[in-house]
Amino acid sequence: NVPDFDDLPQVEGMPQGCAWGVFDKDGKKDVIGTLNLLTPDVVKAAAAEVKEGVSVSLNWPIGAIKTPGFFRKGLVHKVMSFIDSPLAAHGFDDEIEFNTQCSSQWDSLCHFNYQPTGLAYNGIKATVETLVQEFGNEDREKLLPTLNHWHDRGGLVGRGVLIDYKAYADANGISYDPFSDHRITVADIETIAKSQGVEFRQGDIIIVRSGFTEALGTMSAEEQDKALGTHRTCGVEGTDESAKWFWNKHFAAVAGDALAFEAIPPIIDGKEETVAKLVLHQWFLSLFGLPIGELWDLKALSEQCAKSKRYSFLLTSSPLNIPGSIGSPPNALAIF
Ligand code: UVW
């Protein structure tokens, strides 16, 4: 049983609601956060969502954004012919290079630190040096909360729940620009869940569709640059109160199609701040241990939910198994 926000034990020097230590076991620091909520019972109940035998990919192509924001590198894809190699066979290999945050992605628990202390989830000091040391690290006692550890527990498998904000907005005459800081509130999420007949359960993976990737996907490279250049994107409202709501639902993970899941820019004390102060990133990743999925492709999922007349499904995701990986394409599937 996981304590609610107000009942979490106080962690010295940290705000109320810091979940460090909650998932530690046998004196070992936990590295997977709320994935611990995906117990065998939760997974078995999620498997009962498979009724139609239909699966939907939630992965936007890597390279869908020609010039990703935040100075990130886009996809470089090289194809090599065996004919030119000493193997001299007829066939091909390919090599890829990309920033793991350039398209659909998971943010690991050390992607974004709690800014006042510079500490990642569970009080871990992640630095470029310690993360680099982690590549190929076999010392299981000294691990950082990177995505490769999901493989130690069989990846992410659980019940996904779609909150289709875009469909709700379209049906209710709410118009908004995805390249503005249009904010989806917790009250919106609750209203939509109710209208979709969804009741949240502990261990759910909540997925919020805003229409952001769909809008970006129809644009030319120049139009994408211009749209991303506004540094304003729609998403979930990032406040301490909304963070508390998310923790108290005891989700195993959150994901969405927006650039940062939460709206950019963050607003703190009524003032617009830079992305360095993203509110939900600090709460979710560093303080709760709740992974964030971003830029997921949710159009086909929305269509399938409407067709199946249900907004819950089995969700599977297996990030790349690279020791020390901070972000990764999710390789996520929804199965109905
Ligand atoms: C930042 O890290 C600023 O954003 P994101 O996690 O949304 O890629």
Side-chain angles (χ1 to χ4, degrees):
N1 271 347
V2 186
D4 278 348
F5 188 96
D6 290 333
D7 301 325
L8 280 162
Q10 179 70 49
V11 178
E12 206 188 324
M14 301 301 290
Q16 179 60 40
C18 175
W20 296 353
V22 165
F23 298 112
D24 289 357
K25 258 183 242 116
D26 308 325
K28 285 201 188 124
K29 263 194 192 298
D30 170 64
V31 286
I32 56 167
T34 47
L35 255 57
N36 281 290
L37 299 176
L38 296 171
T39 60
D41 284 346
V42 166
V43 175
K44 277 191 280 176
E49 298 286 335
V50 180
K51 294 178 181 124
E52 289 144 77
V54 173
S55 67
V56 179
S57 168
L58 310 181
N59 310 290
W60 215 21
I62 296 170
I65 305 182
K66 303 298 167 221
T67 317
F70 306 132
F71 310 101
R72 288 171 174 155
K73 189 172 187 169
L75 175 69
V76 180
H77 188 177
K78 215 168 101 187
V79 178
M80 288 119 68
S81 166
F82 274 170
I83 299 169
D84 306 324
S85 82
L87 295 175
H90 293 267
F92 304 96
D93 272 2
D94 57 357
E95 284 178 355
I96 52 171
E97 222 180 287
F98 61 96
N99 182 303
T100 55
Q101 314 267 340
C102 76
S103 184
S104 299
Q105 70 198 254
W106 280 117
D107 285 354
S108 76
L109 307 182
C110 52
H111 166 58
F112 205 92
N113 292 336
Y114 179 60
Q115 300 298 302
T117 59
L119 295 176
Y121 170 64
N122 239 346
I124 287 165
K125 179 97 193 156
T127 62
V128 170
E129 289 72 29
T130 54
L131 282 160
V132 168
Q133 278 162 21
E134 199 75 358
F135 301 158
N137 181 7
E138 295 300 324
D139 183 350
R140 311 310 278 174
E141 299 299 317
K142 280 193 203 152
L143 295 170
L144 295 170
T146 50
L147 289 168
N148 46 304
H149 301 305
W150 290 21
H151 287 268
D152 297 341
R153 64 170 318 282
L156 176 151
V157 180
R159 188 177 85 136
V161 172
L162 176 69
I163 295 296
D164 200 340
Y165 180 79
K166 167 123 176 65
Y168 167 82
D170 289 347
N172 289 282
I174 302 166
S175 77
Y176 60 97
D177 178 1
F179 307 100
S180 73
D181 63 330
H182 182 74
R183 286 162 206 271
I184 300 168
T185 65
V186 159
D188 292 330
I189 294 175
E190 282 187 330
T191 304
I192 295 164
K194 204 163 167 204
S195 71
Q196 293 177 174
V198 164
E199 275 185 34
F200 297 118
R201 296 186 202 149
Q202 174 162 318
D204 277 349
I205 299 104
I206 182 174
I207 303 177
V208 181
R209 173 175 174 249
S210 67
F212 183 86
T213 49
E214 288 156 52
L216 206 57
T218 60
M219 293 178 171
S220 66
E222 293 72 35
E223 288 166 338
Q224 286 187 346
D225 282 353
K226 203 166 156 219
L228 293 172
T230 61
H231 299 291
R232 303 184 91 77
T233 59
C234 65
V236 173
E237 182 177 49
T239 62
D240 294 348
E241 275 309 301
S242 50
K244 183 172 171 172
W245 181 88
F246 276 93
W247 174 265
N248 283 344
K249 290 293 171 201
H250 303 302
F251 296 122
V254 306
D257 59 351
L259 188 72
F261 184 76
E262 63 188 292
I264 296 178
I267 294 182
I268 299 168
D269 296 332
K271 200 171 133 252
E272 288 190 2
E273 295 284 356
T274 67
V275 287
K277 296 218 172 139
L278 284 172
V279 176
L280 298 184
H281 272 59
Q282 295 185 67
W283 276 112
F284 289 7
L285 300 176
S286 350
L287 300 180
F288 295 165
L290 176 65
I292 304 176
E294 295 157 353
L295 292 173
W296 286 24
D297 184 0
L298 302 179
K299 189 159 188 282
L301 179 66
S302 164
E303 288 164 359
Q304 186 60 43
C305 285
K307 195 168 161 198
S308 301
K309 296 191 178 54
R310 62 192 171 100
Y311 288 80
S312 57
F313 37 85
L314 177 68
L315 181 82
T316 67
S317 166
S318 176
L320 296 174
N321 191 357
I322 302 176
S325 54
I326 297 155
S328 170
N331 295 317
L333 298 175
I335 307 153
F336 289 80

